[in-house]
Amino acid sequence: MGLGEMLGVKMIKIEPKEKMSLEELYEKIKDIQFSAGKPEYIKHGLNYVIAFPPEDRENQVWIITSKDNFIVQRSVAIAGVANTFKNMAKAEILDQLSGGITGMVSAFGSPKKACMAHCDEIAEKVKEIIA
């Protein structure tokens, strides 16, 4: 495990054989069975991401674009505007009830490990299709 993974950063770059948009990638993978669940093409801020069901309020696998490549990454934010406000409200309530322990557990516990393992599996399947 590298330093980035110890700090909770997981980013796997995938170089496709041919140039394609994120939406085109989504069309190629939308019906594939992933251990992380079914991917969705979601507007997040000004951009779109391919997002998988969140592990918890701080762990979700995203596929994003970077120049002509794709990046499979662990995100600490949940994709989508509606989810942002909903998750912020839940986080505040849980942290108040638990005295802040809930946020610490989800930041360092098994949901993070599961999310990082899902990044590896998703990246491998996507590479098989486009790389």
Side-chain angles (χ1 to χ4, degrees):
M1 179 184 294
L3 179 60
E5 287 188 43
M6 287 176 28
L7 297 173
V9 176
K10 184 76 163 191
M11 298 177 81
I12 304 166
K13 184 171 108 174
I14 300 171
E15 298 179 36
K17 283 185 280 191
E18 54 192 53
K19 189 173 178 167
M20 70 177 69
S21 70
L22 190 65
E23 188 171 12
E24 290 169 324
L25 174 61
Y26 173 72
E27 289 300 321
K28 289 181 180 281
I29 68 168
K30 69 180 180 182
D31 296 321
I32 294 176
Q33 185 67 31
F34 291 97
S35 61
K38 185 170 175 60
E40 292 184 67
Y41 187 69
I42 299 175
K43 185 161 179 64
H44 185 74
L46 299 175
N47 298 310
Y48 282 86
V49 301
I50 296 173
F52 292 81
E55 300 291 329
D56 65 4
R57 64 186 170 85
E58 295 178 345
N59 291 284
Q60 185 176 39
V61 178
W62 287 6
I63 301 175
I64 61 172
T65 57
S66 174
K67 297 188 182 183
D68 292 333
N69 301 311
F70 297 105
I71 299 196
V72 178
Q73 69 176 33
R74 170 185 169 256
S75 175
V76 296
I78 305 303
V81 176
N83 286 331
T84 302
F85 295 113
K86 181 170 58 173
N87 286 312
M88 285 171 48
K90 282 183 190 175
E92 188 173 324
I93 291 168
L94 288 172
D95 281 348
Q96 286 177 358
L97 292 174
S98 70
I101 293 173
T102 305
M104 298 265 306
V105 169
S106 64
F108 297 104
S110 62
K112 178 175 114 180
K113 289 179 184 176
C115 187
M116 292 174 80
H118 286 141
C119 285
D120 292 328
E121 184 250 349
I122 290 165
E124 285 306 311
K125 284 188 176 183
V126 170
K127 281 179 187 177
E128 289 174 10
I129 296 166
I130 66 166

